[in-house]
Amino acid sequence: KGVHLDQQKMKSICASISGFLLYLKQEYGVEAVLFSFNETDCGVEVFQTPEEHALFNRAIGTELQAKGLATKMLLGDTGHGTAVANQLVWPSITDPSVHNTIGAIAFHTYHGCNTADLEAWARSARAINVPLMVTEGGTNSAAHRYPLVFLQPWFQLGEIDTYIRICNICQPATIMEWQLTSDYSVLTGKGLYGDNGPLRPTQRFYNLKQLGNTPEGSFWIPARCDRPEISCAAAADIANDTYSVHMVNNGPRREVVLNGFPESVENLYIYITDANRGMKRMNNIRVVDGTARFTIEPQTFTSLFNK
């Protein structure tokens, strides 16, 4: 369990951190954009109560500004994506003196992430008007202890389902996969997962690639589906007439009626990732009067792009 910072030594703590960041900038030409202690709700190294989190953000933020650094505080950066963990950020949000030290708000996705949880995080980002980030993405931080679970289709589909729901509800600036190393590899082969065959992508690799294919410059826009087995998210770069829709079907094959496209959209390019296909290009879909009709296959991650 982590330790609480000694409030009597806060000035020295802030000077130590700012000195390191200043050295990084002066000697290596690198200026950190954001700073946080990792998962202070869990106490991985440092444990903070919501009130301590606000006090530290104000103290270190003021110190960094005094040193001429542009580094801002990453609010939250919690180990849990729950509404309970979200309580960590509110004393900072309700204290205007902290606001100019905060650059973004963040959480990790290992626990929670149901609709109520994600709505709580979305509300907090809107309340302080800063970007929301997922700084560790994944559904099980301990999965490296039983790594073959990473190859299970249900696990791989569940992970991308979590990300699509986050995109729809939270409109994140980024989702950072935890992690692209051998412990949590999105590849198999060469000994990974006990497979001595050639190095090759897994379903998780293609899930990330397909979501990452959302065109640069797009923003997440409202989207909804009337079937609980399907999660969806939509992105648009309206200025460049670019639209994307992502859907995870956790249920059986079904017909989909997708509407709301502008008149300029006439065709959709469709890609599918599942247990047997990795971002496979399918036949184009026609859009007529803003509506597309197609069949979505079971247990698939499906993405549609007009460009």
Side-chain angles (χ1 to χ4, degrees):
K1 196 72 174 179
V3 298
H4 293 264
L5 298 177
D6 187 340
Q7 297 299 311
Q8 301 301 315
K9 299 179 179 178
M10 188 59 69
K11 186 174 181 179
S12 297
I13 292 171
C14 292
S16 175
I17 294 170
S18 65
F20 173 81
L21 294 174
L22 195 61
Y23 180 83
L24 186 67
K25 178 181 179 179
Q26 292 174 342
E27 297 298 320
Y28 293 95
V30 175
E31 188 164 21
V33 176
L34 298 166
F35 176 87
S36 83
F37 289 123
N38 181 49
E39 299 185 349
T40 57
D41 61 321
C42 306
V44 171
E45 296 291 344
V46 173
F47 182 87
Q48 291 179 327
T49 66
E51 292 72 25
E52 288 172 338
H53 193 54
L55 287 171
F56 175 73
N57 287 334
R58 185 193 305 114
I60 185 62
T62 302
E63 169 75 9
L64 296 177
Q65 290 173 355
K67 289 292 194 297
L69 290 162
T71 307
K72 297 282 189 178
M73 301 309 298
L74 181 58
L75 186 61
D77 202 19
T78 59
H80 301 74
T82 63
V84 172
N86 180 254
Q87 295 173 10
L88 182 74
V89 307
W90 281 99
S92 297
I93 292 174
T94 56
D95 183 351
S97 69
V98 184
H99 289 188
N100 68 341
T101 71
I102 296 170
I105 186 169
F107 66 94
H108 303 174
T109 61
Y110 303 124
H111 308 280
C113 293
N114 61 33
T115 298
D117 294 326
L118 297 179
E119 287 175 343
W121 284 100
R123 281 194 299 272
S124 60
R126 289 195 298 268
I128 199 169
N129 194 29
V130 294
L132 186 146
M133 305 167 66
V134 172
T135 42
E136 286 189 26
T139 54
N140 187 339
S141 61
H144 63 285
R145 297 172 184 168
Y146 33 91
L148 290 181
V149 73
F150 283 116
L151 301 183
Q152 296 298 315
W154 63 266
F155 182 92
Q156 301 185 85
L157 192 68
E159 184 179 68
I160 193 62
D161 182 77
T162 298
Y163 295 167
I164 294 306
R165 290 187 294 105
I166 290 171
C167 290
N168 189 30
I169 297 172
C170 297
Q171 301 177 339
T174 184
I175 297 177
M176 302 179 184
E177 179 73 10
W178 183 264
Q179 55 181 311
L180 301 178
T181 64
S182 59
D183 282 353
Y184 301 81
S185 181
V186 294
L187 305 176
T188 189
K190 293 291 186 180
L192 291 169
Y193 304 123
D195 187 329
N196 293 316
L199 196 64
R200 58 197 186 279
T202 65
Q203 182 180 344
R204 290 174 60 232
F205 173 93
Y206 285 111
N207 285 339
L208 296 178
K209 181 179 180 180
Q210 190 166 305
L211 178 57
N213 204 47
T214 305
E216 184 178 359
S218 297
F219 292 87
W220 299 110
I221 60 175
R224 60 186 175 87
C225 179
D226 62 359
R227 292 294 182 268
E229 299 90 353
I230 297 178
S231 300
C232 66
D237 177 359
I238 297 175
N240 292 302
D241 197 34
T242 302
Y243 301 89
S244 313
V245 178
H246 301 283
M247 307 173 69
V248 174
N249 182 17
N250 295 287
R253 180 191 309 271
R254 65 172 70 247
E255 297 302 313
V256 172
V257 178
L258 184 60
N259 54 40
F261 290 103
E263 292 183 2
S264 59
V265 177
E266 299 179 348
N267 286 284
L268 295 172
Y269 304 94
I270 184 167
Y271 295 86
I272 290 179
T273 293
D274 60 13
N276 301 306
R277 294 168 290 186
M279 200 172 170
K280 180 177 175 58
R281 172 81 176 271
M282 309 299 286
N283 292 333
N284 292 3
I285 297 170
R286 289 282 296 164
V287 180
V288 180
D289 296 329
T291 298
R293 290 177 167 82
F294 62 98
T295 300
I296 192 169
E297 299 189 41
Q299 307 296 302
T300 55
F301 173 34
T302 301
S303 299
L304 307 101
F305 308 95
N306 75 312
K307 293 184 180 179

